Amino acid sequence: MLLCQCLARIHPNSFFNSFFMKKTVVSLASVALLLAACSRPAPPEEPIRAVKVMTVGASAYSSSHEYAGEVRAQIESRLGFRVGGKLIKRQAELGQHVNAGQVLAQLDPQDYRLAADAARAQVAVAATNRNLAAADFKRYQALMDQNFISGAELERREATLKAAQAQLDLAQSQLAVQGNQTSYAVLTADVAGIVTAIDAEPGQVVAAGAPVVRIAADGVRDVVFSVPEDKVAGLKVGAPVRIRVWAQGTELQGRVREVAASSDPVTRTYPVKVSIDAKTPPPLGSTVYVVFDASATASTPVIKLPTSALRQEGQTTTVWVLDKTRMTVSSQVIQVATADGNEIVVASGLQPGMLVVSAGVHVLSPGQKVSIYQSKMPLAQMPSSQAAPDSIAKSVPAVPAVSSSSAK
């Protein structure tokens, strides 16, 4: 308006002044409308979201631990020759069932036979010397009876006879040893079982005691697995466990038979053996899962939350806690101890009675107003798996739908 008054003073013509002022007012109104269109609109109010909540409470910790194991024989022998030599024949085959006393492998016995022959010859020499000394002693004893010789001479003949007898005993013992050495060139099974490993082949020179054949004895089967150091204290000899066969899907019962006193130097775990209580145990080498209840922690009440309630903020784990008086949520840092199925065990950060958001946690912000979700389905019609306890709070009423005719 100030601009129009100035222009009116410059142009005294009333018609011109009236026309020019109208044009100026129209232009200023247009500019004002354009400026109003370019300005930012007011931000819309943040919607009140419906969330599911649960009441924090203490419950029993019924977690169980599961370990992968392998079926083995309770007695597994690594058989080898008691003497060294060249392996010339191996009758045992991998996976073969053998009986006690069955020949498994043989060494070249030629050297042991020659040594036995030499020992046998030594026995013959010693026997001849003993017989000669016995004849002399008998003859000199007759002369002594007739007082033709002294007693000292008879005693010398008796000493010679005893020495010859000792030489004969020594030769016979050496012959027995060489005979055993010859028999040791044949490896036989000491128990009935299944051949699980072959450690030597024909033509190989093996040392005395080196494993050649490994046999798993028939009888009771064990499940062997390893447990970490923090779990071995909860295992006791005789404790019952459940065994699930991976290939067959069957479940067996067993008992802890042996817990190692020291850890494995490589894995730093403790080997455990469980005997299988079954008439028909799984095949050797089968993969099984051993499950035992963690009774040490079962009686301790703990706070558990579903995994859907967790959020990750940097290096911390948080949950949304509902303030029921103001109906706003706030972030609460918690410490997770372990997992129990689809739930987590909270070590610290929550107290019984708190309301924690259990679903829709990723669309909330600190201080945001929320409403409590409630399912439209009546509780009587809900399946038993969906009938939540009082930990699920009540929800906001549903918004009525708008029909197409009313929208028009």
Side-chain angles (χ1 to χ4, degrees), residues 209-240:
V212 176
V213 178
R214 190 180 306 173
I215 294 180
D218 293 339
V220 182
R221 295 290 186 255
D222 281 348
V223 172
V224 181
F225 61 99
S226 298
V227 298
E229 184 177 356
D230 61 338
K231 298 295 187 298
V232 70
L235 289 178
K236 304 297 181 183
V237 175

PDB file of all heavy atoms in Angstrom, residues 209-240:
ATOM      1  N   GLY A 209      55.216-105.353  18.542  1.00  0.00           N
ATOM      2  CA  GLY A 209      54.226-104.524  19.215  1.00  0.00           C
ATOM      3  C   GLY A 209      53.551-103.496  18.341  1.00  0.00           C
ATOM      4  O   GLY A 209      52.611-102.830  18.803  1.00  0.00           O
ATOM      5  N   ALA A 210      53.997-103.307  17.115  1.00  0.00           N
ATOM      6  CA  ALA A 210      53.363-102.331  16.227  1.00  0.00           C
ATOM      7  C   ALA A 210      51.961-102.803  15.847  1.00  0.00           C
ATOM      8  O   ALA A 210      51.770-103.973  15.511  1.00  0.00           O
ATOM      9  CB  ALA A 210      54.201-102.129  14.971  1.00  0.00           C
ATOM     10  N   PRO A 211      50.928-101.908  15.904  1.00  0.00           N
ATOM     11  CA  PRO A 211      49.565-102.330  15.558  1.00  0.00           C
ATOM     12  C   PRO A 211      49.484-102.774  14.102  1.00  0.00           C
ATOM     13  O   PRO A 211      49.988-102.112  13.197  1.00  0.00           O
ATOM     14  CB  PRO A 211      48.722-101.082  15.801  1.00  0.00           C
ATOM     15  CG  PRO A 211      49.541-100.238  16.728  1.00  0.00           C
ATOM     16  CD  PRO A 211      50.969-100.512  16.377  1.00  0.00           C
ATOM     17  N   VAL A 212      48.814-103.893  13.898  1.00  0.00           N
ATOM     18  CA  VAL A 212      48.602-104.437  12.559  1.00  0.00           C
ATOM     19  C   VAL A 212      47.117-104.480  12.230  1.00  0.00           C
ATOM     20  O   VAL A 212      46.700-104.068  11.148  1.00  0.00           O
ATOM     21  CB  VAL A 212      49.234-105.841  12.443  1.00  0.00           C
ATOM     22  CG1 VAL A 212      48.929-106.452  11.075  1.00  0.00           C
ATOM     23  CG2 VAL A 212      50.729-105.778  12.671  1.00  0.00           C
ATOM     24  N   VAL A 213      46.309-104.959  13.158  1.00  0.00           N
ATOM     25  CA  VAL A 213      44.870-105.096  12.965  1.00  0.00           C
ATOM     26  C   VAL A 213      44.167-104.548  14.204  1.00  0.00           C
ATOM     27  O   VAL A 213      44.616-104.786  15.328  1.00  0.00           O
ATOM     28  CB  VAL A 213      44.463-106.567  12.725  1.00  0.00           C
ATOM     29  CG1 VAL A 213      42.952-106.689  12.572  1.00  0.00           C
ATOM     30  CG2 VAL A 213      45.148-107.116  11.489  1.00  0.00           C
ATOM     31  N   ARG A 214      43.073-103.819  13.964  1.00  0.00           N
ATOM     32  CA  ARG A 214      42.276-103.298  15.072  1.00  0.00           C
ATOM     33  C   ARG A 214      40.919-103.996  15.065  1.00  0.00           C
ATOM     34  O   ARG A 214      40.246-104.049  14.039  1.00  0.00           O
ATOM     35  CB  ARG A 214      42.078-101.795  14.931  1.00  0.00           C
ATOM     36  CG  ARG A 214      41.473-101.125  16.145  1.00  0.00           C
ATOM     37  CD  ARG A 214      41.314 -99.638  15.921  1.00  0.00           C
ATOM     38  NE  ARG A 214      42.572 -99.024  15.510  1.00  0.00           N
ATOM     39  CZ  ARG A 214      42.689 -97.752  15.120  1.00  0.00           C
ATOM     40  NH1 ARG A 214      41.609 -96.985  15.084  1.00  0.00           N
ATOM     41  NH2 ARG A 214      43.853 -97.277  14.758  1.00  0.00           N
ATOM     42  N   ILE A 215      40.531-104.533  16.228  1.00  0.00           N
ATOM     43  CA  ILE A 215      39.294-105.306  16.333  1.00  0.00           C
ATOM     44  C   ILE A 215      38.397-104.677  17.392  1.00  0.00           C
ATOM     45  O   ILE A 215      38.840-104.403  18.516  1.00  0.00           O
ATOM     46  CB  ILE A 215      39.586-106.776  16.698  1.00  0.00           C
ATOM     47  CG1 ILE A 215      40.334-107.458  15.545  1.00  0.00           C
ATOM     48  CG2 ILE A 215      38.292-107.528  16.980  1.00  0.00           C
ATOM     49  CD1 ILE A 215      40.654-108.906  15.811  1.00  0.00           C
ATOM     50  N   ALA A 216      37.130-104.450  17.025  1.00  0.00           N
ATOM     51  CA  ALA A 216      36.112-103.997  17.969  1.00  0.00           C
ATOM     52  C   ALA A 216      35.382-105.226  18.483  1.00  0.00           C
ATOM     53  O   ALA A 216      34.702-105.929  17.730  1.00  0.00           O
ATOM     54  CB  ALA A 216      35.137-103.046  17.294  1.00  0.00           C
ATOM     55  N   ALA A 217      35.540-105.495  19.761  1.00  0.00           N
ATOM     56  CA  ALA A 217      34.973-106.711  20.341  1.00  0.00           C
ATOM     57  C   ALA A 217      33.463-106.654  20.342  1.00  0.00           C
ATOM     58  O   ALA A 217      32.848-105.585  20.519  1.00  0.00           O
ATOM     59  CB  ALA A 217      35.502-106.910  21.753  1.00  0.00           C
ATOM     60  N   ASP A 218      32.845-107.820  20.143  1.00  0.00           N
ATOM     61  CA  ASP A 218      31.393-107.913  20.228  1.00  0.00           C
ATOM     62  C   ASP A 218      30.938-107.634  21.657  1.00  0.00           C
ATOM     63  O   ASP A 218      31.651-107.892  22.627  1.00  0.00           O
ATOM     64  CB  ASP A 218      30.929-109.305  19.801  1.00  0.00           C
ATOM     65  CG  ASP A 218      31.183-109.573  18.328  1.00  0.00           C
ATOM     66  OD1 ASP A 218      31.329-108.586  17.570  1.00  0.00           O
ATOM     67  OD2 ASP A 218      31.241-110.745  17.939  1.00  0.00           O
ATOM     68  N   GLY A 219      29.733-107.088  21.780  1.00  0.00           N
ATOM     69  CA  GLY A 219      29.200-106.812  23.112  1.00  0.00           C
ATOM     70  C   GLY A 219      28.638-105.412  23.200  1.00  0.00           C
ATOM     71  O   GLY A 219      28.039-104.892  22.256  1.00  0.00           O
ATOM     72  N   VAL A 220      28.825-104.794  24.352  1.00  0.00           N
ATOM     73  CA  VAL A 220      28.240-103.482  24.639  1.00  0.00           C
ATOM     74  C   VAL A 220      28.902-102.422  23.775  1.00  0.00           C
ATOM     75  O   VAL A 220      30.109-102.447  23.543  1.00  0.00           O
ATOM     76  CB  VAL A 220      28.401-103.141  26.139  1.00  0.00           C
ATOM     77  CG1 VAL A 220      27.737-101.797  26.458  1.00  0.00           C
ATOM     78  CG2 VAL A 220      27.795-104.245  26.991  1.00  0.00           C
ATOM     79  N   ARG A 221      28.090-101.473  23.324  1.00  0.00           N
ATOM     80  CA  ARG A 221      28.579-100.357  22.525  1.00  0.00           C
ATOM     81  C   ARG A 221      28.546 -99.080  23.351  1.00  0.00           C
ATOM     82  O   ARG A 221      27.710 -98.903  24.243  1.00  0.00           O
ATOM     83  CB  ARG A 221      27.718-100.181  21.262  1.00  0.00           C
ATOM     84  CG  ARG A 221      27.803-101.362  20.307  1.00  0.00           C
ATOM     85  CD  ARG A 221      29.166-101.420  19.647  1.00  0.00           C
ATOM     86  NE  ARG A 221      29.252-102.451  18.627  1.00  0.00           N
ATOM     87  CZ  ARG A 221      29.881-103.599  18.769  1.00  0.00           C
ATOM     88  NH1 ARG A 221      30.488-103.863  19.929  1.00  0.00           N
ATOM     89  NH2 ARG A 221      29.945-104.474  17.798  1.00  0.00           N
ATOM     90  N   ASP A 222      29.481 -98.199  23.042  1.00  0.00           N
ATOM     91  CA  ASP A 222      29.586 -96.904  23.715  1.00  0.00           C
ATOM     92  C   ASP A 222      29.365 -95.784  22.713  1.00  0.00           C
ATOM     93  O   ASP A 222      29.578 -95.959  21.505  1.00  0.00           O
ATOM     94  CB  ASP A 222      30.957 -96.718  24.358  1.00  0.00           C
ATOM     95  CG  ASP A 222      31.080 -97.466  25.678  1.00  0.00           C
ATOM     96  OD1 ASP A 222      30.044 -97.929  26.187  1.00  0.00           O
ATOM     97  OD2 ASP A 222      32.208 -97.588  26.189  1.00  0.00           O
ATOM     98  N   VAL A 223      28.940 -94.643  23.224  1.00  0.00           N
ATOM     99  CA  VAL A 223      28.910 -93.399  22.460  1.00  0.00           C
ATOM    100  C   VAL A 223      29.988 -92.497  23.045  1.00  0.00           C
ATOM    101  O   VAL A 223      29.981 -92.220  24.251  1.00  0.00           O
ATOM    102  CB  VAL A 223      27.539 -92.709  22.535  1.00  0.00           C
ATOM    103  CG1 VAL A 223      27.593 -91.333  21.898  1.00  0.00           C
ATOM    104  CG2 VAL A 223      26.487 -93.568  21.843  1.00  0.00           C
ATOM    105  N   VAL A 224      30.899 -92.060  22.214  1.00  0.00           N
ATOM    106  CA  VAL A 224      32.017 -91.241  22.652  1.00  0.00           C
ATOM    107  C   VAL A 224      31.815 -89.832  22.099  1.00  0.00           C
ATOM    108  O   VAL A 224      31.603 -89.653  20.893  1.00  0.00           O
ATOM    109  CB  VAL A 224      33.361 -91.828  22.167  1.00  0.00           C
ATOM    110  CG1 VAL A 224      34.525 -90.980  22.653  1.00  0.00           C
ATOM    111  CG2 VAL A 224      33.513 -93.264  22.656  1.00  0.00           C
ATOM    112  N   PHE A 225      31.864 -88.835  22.983  1.00  0.00           N
ATOM    113  CA  PHE A 225      31.748 -87.436  22.580  1.00  0.00           C
ATOM    114  C   PHE A 225      32.579 -86.605  23.540  1.00  0.00           C
ATOM    115  O   PHE A 225      33.127 -87.108  24.528  1.00  0.00           O
ATOM    116  CB  PHE A 225      30.285 -86.974  22.577  1.00  0.00           C
ATOM    117  CG  PHE A 225      29.610 -87.062  23.914  1.00  0.00           C
ATOM    118  CD1 PHE A 225      29.484 -85.950  24.725  1.00  0.00           C
ATOM    119  CD2 PHE A 225      29.098 -88.272  24.369  1.00  0.00           C
ATOM    120  CE1 PHE A 225      28.867 -86.030  25.963  1.00  0.00           C
ATOM    121  CE2 PHE A 225      28.472 -88.365  25.602  1.00  0.00           C
ATOM    122  CZ  PHE A 225      28.362 -87.232  26.398  1.00  0.00           C
ATOM    123  N   SER A 226      32.696 -85.316  23.247  1.00  0.00           N
ATOM    124  CA  SER A 226      33.523 -84.414  24.042  1.00  0.00           C
ATOM    125  C   SER A 226      32.671 -83.245  24.519  1.00  0.00           C
ATOM    126  O   SER A 226      31.790 -82.771  23.800  1.00  0.00           O
ATOM    127  CB  SER A 226      34.714 -83.897  23.227  1.00  0.00           C
ATOM    128  OG  SER A 226      35.558 -84.977  22.832  1.00  0.00           O
ATOM    129  N   VAL A 227      32.945 -82.785  25.721  1.00  0.00           N
ATOM    130  CA  VAL A 227      32.224 -81.661  26.309  1.00  0.00           C
ATOM    131  C   VAL A 227      33.233 -80.583  26.700  1.00  0.00           C
ATOM    132  O   VAL A 227      34.375 -80.888  27.035  1.00  0.00           O
ATOM    133  CB  VAL A 227      31.407 -82.094  27.540  1.00  0.00           C
ATOM    134  CG1 VAL A 227      30.353 -83.111  27.157  1.00  0.00           C
ATOM    135  CG2 VAL A 227      32.314 -82.666  28.619  1.00  0.00           C
ATOM    136  N   PRO A 228      32.832 -79.316  26.652  1.00  0.00           N
ATOM    137  CA  PRO A 228      33.743 -78.239  27.052  1.00  0.00           C
ATOM    138  C   PRO A 228      33.963 -78.236  28.557  1.00  0.00           C
ATOM    139  O   PRO A 228      33.267 -78.897  29.326  1.00  0.00           O
ATOM    140  CB  PRO A 228      33.033 -76.968  26.577  1.00  0.00           C
ATOM    141  CG  PRO A 228      31.596 -77.350  26.499  1.00  0.00           C
ATOM    142  CD  PRO A 228      31.557 -78.803  26.132  1.00  0.00           C
ATOM    143  N   GLU A 229      34.931 -77.437  28.953  1.00  0.00           N
ATOM    144  CA  GLU A 229      35.346 -77.423  30.351  1.00  0.00           C
ATOM    145  C   GLU A 229      34.245 -76.923  31.276  1.00  0.00           C
ATOM    146  O   GLU A 229      34.108 -77.400  32.413  1.00  0.00           O
ATOM    147  CB  GLU A 229      36.596 -76.555  30.494  1.00  0.00           C
ATOM    148  CG  GLU A 229      37.182 -76.522  31.889  1.00  0.00           C
ATOM    149  CD  GLU A 229      38.465 -75.708  31.945  1.00  0.00           C
ATOM    150  OE1 GLU A 229      38.918 -75.251  30.880  1.00  0.00           O
ATOM    151  OE2 GLU A 229      38.996 -75.547  33.045  1.00  0.00           O
ATOM    152  N   ASP A 230      33.429 -75.974  30.832  1.00  0.00           N
ATOM    153  CA  ASP A 230      32.409 -75.406  31.712  1.00  0.00           C
ATOM    154  C   ASP A 230      31.185 -76.295  31.853  1.00  0.00           C
ATOM    155  O   ASP A 230      30.283 -75.984  32.625  1.00  0.00           O
ATOM    156  CB  ASP A 230      31.982 -74.032  31.201  1.00  0.00           C
ATOM    157  CG  ASP A 230      31.390 -74.103  29.804  1.00  0.00           C
ATOM    158  OD1 ASP A 230      31.689 -75.080  29.088  1.00  0.00           O
ATOM    159  OD2 ASP A 230      30.651 -73.198  29.404  1.00  0.00           O
ATOM    160  N   LYS A 231      31.116 -77.409  31.111  1.00  0.00           N
ATOM    161  CA  LYS A 231      29.972 -78.309  31.202  1.00  0.00           C
ATOM    162  C   LYS A 231      30.333 -79.652  31.826  1.00  0.00           C
ATOM    163  O   LYS A 231      29.447 -80.426  32.174  1.00  0.00           O
ATOM    164  CB  LYS A 231      29.381 -78.564  29.808  1.00  0.00           C
ATOM    165  CG  LYS A 231      28.853 -77.321  29.112  1.00  0.00           C
ATOM    166  CD  LYS A 231      27.674 -76.745  29.847  1.00  0.00           C
ATOM    167  CE  LYS A 231      27.025 -75.608  29.064  1.00  0.00           C
ATOM    168  NZ  LYS A 231      27.909 -74.479  28.851  1.00  0.00           N
ATOM    169  N   VAL A 232      31.611 -79.964  31.969  1.00  0.00           N
ATOM    170  CA  VAL A 232      31.999 -81.290  32.450  1.00  0.00           C
ATOM    171  C   VAL A 232      31.619 -81.486  33.910  1.00  0.00           C
ATOM    172  O   VAL A 232      31.380 -82.617  34.352  1.00  0.00           O
ATOM    173  CB  VAL A 232      33.516 -81.502  32.232  1.00  0.00           C
ATOM    174  CG1 VAL A 232      34.329 -80.628  33.173  1.00  0.00           C
ATOM    175  CG2 VAL A 232      33.887 -82.967  32.430  1.00  0.00           C
ATOM    176  N   ALA A 233      31.541 -80.414  34.691  1.00  0.00           N
ATOM    177  CA  ALA A 233      31.201 -80.558  36.106  1.00  0.00           C
ATOM    178  C   ALA A 233      29.776 -81.054  36.299  1.00  0.00           C
ATOM    179  O   ALA A 233      29.456 -81.661  37.322  1.00  0.00           O
ATOM    180  CB  ALA A 233      31.398 -79.228  36.830  1.00  0.00           C
ATOM    181  N   GLY A 234      28.887 -80.828  35.345  1.00  0.00           N
ATOM    182  CA  GLY A 234      27.501 -81.266  35.459  1.00  0.00           C
ATOM    183  C   GLY A 234      27.273 -82.707  35.068  1.00  0.00           C
ATOM    184  O   GLY A 234      26.158 -83.206  35.191  1.00  0.00           O
ATOM    185  N   LEU A 235      28.317 -83.404  34.583  1.00  0.00           N
ATOM    186  CA  LEU A 235      28.188 -84.803  34.181  1.00  0.00           C
ATOM    187  C   LEU A 235      28.667 -85.704  35.310  1.00  0.00           C
ATOM    188  O   LEU A 235      29.782 -85.536  35.820  1.00  0.00           O
ATOM    189  CB  LEU A 235      29.000 -85.080  32.916  1.00  0.00           C
ATOM    190  CG  LEU A 235      28.460 -84.484  31.625  1.00  0.00           C
ATOM    191  CD1 LEU A 235      29.401 -84.802  30.477  1.00  0.00           C
ATOM    192  CD2 LEU A 235      27.079 -85.014  31.309  1.00  0.00           C
ATOM    193  N   LYS A 236      27.830 -86.664  35.687  1.00  0.00           N
ATOM    194  CA  LYS A 236      28.170 -87.618  36.716  1.00  0.00           C
ATOM    195  C   LYS A 236      28.069 -89.031  36.152  1.00  0.00           C
ATOM    196  O   LYS A 236      27.208 -89.318  35.315  1.00  0.00           O
ATOM    197  CB  LYS A 236      27.235 -87.483  37.924  1.00  0.00           C
ATOM    198  CG  LYS A 236      27.207 -86.081  38.532  1.00  0.00           C
ATOM    199  CD  LYS A 236      28.572 -85.677  39.076  1.00  0.00           C
ATOM    200  CE  LYS A 236      28.518 -84.277  39.696  1.00  0.00           C
ATOM    201  NZ  LYS A 236      29.864 -83.843  40.172  1.00  0.00           N
ATOM    202  N   VAL A 237      28.953 -89.909  36.601  1.00  0.00           N
ATOM    203  CA  VAL A 237      28.917 -91.303  36.164  1.00  0.00           C
ATOM    204  C   VAL A 237      27.609 -91.939  36.626  1.00  0.00           C
ATOM    205  O   VAL A 237      27.222 -91.833  37.788  1.00  0.00           O
ATOM    206  CB  VAL A 237      30.129 -92.070  36.714  1.00  0.00           C
ATOM    207  CG1 VAL A 237      30.036 -93.544  36.360  1.00  0.00           C
ATOM    208  CG2 VAL A 237      31.424 -91.476  36.190  1.00  0.00           C
ATOM    209  N   GLY A 238      26.924 -92.585  35.680  1.00  0.00           N
ATOM    210  CA  GLY A 238      25.638 -93.194  35.972  1.00  0.00           C
ATOM    211  C   GLY A 238      24.445 -92.336  35.621  1.00  0.00           C
ATOM    212  O   GLY A 238      23.303 -92.805  35.732  1.00  0.00           O
ATOM    213  N   ALA A 239      24.671 -91.092  35.218  1.00  0.00           N
ATOM    214  CA  ALA A 239      23.556 -90.203  34.887  1.00  0.00           C
ATOM    215  C   ALA A 239      22.882 -90.670  33.599  1.00  0.00           C
ATOM    216  O   ALA A 239      23.558 -91.015  32.623  1.00  0.00           O
ATOM    217  CB  ALA A 239      24.051 -88.770  34.727  1.00  0.00           C
ATOM    218  N   PRO A 240      21.544 -90.688  33.530  1.00  0.00           N
ATOM    219  CA  PRO A 240      20.857 -91.113  32.306  1.00  0.00           C
ATOM    220  C   PRO A 240      20.910 -90.025  31.239  1.00  0.00           C
ATOM    221  O   PRO A 240      20.840 -88.826  31.540  1.00  0.00           O
ATOM    222  CB  PRO A 240      19.418 -91.361  32.769  1.00  0.00           C
ATOM    223  CG  PRO A 240      19.258 -90.464  33.962  1.00  0.00           C
ATOM    224  CD  PRO A 240      20.600 -90.387  34.625  1.00  0.00           C
TER     225      PRO A 240
END
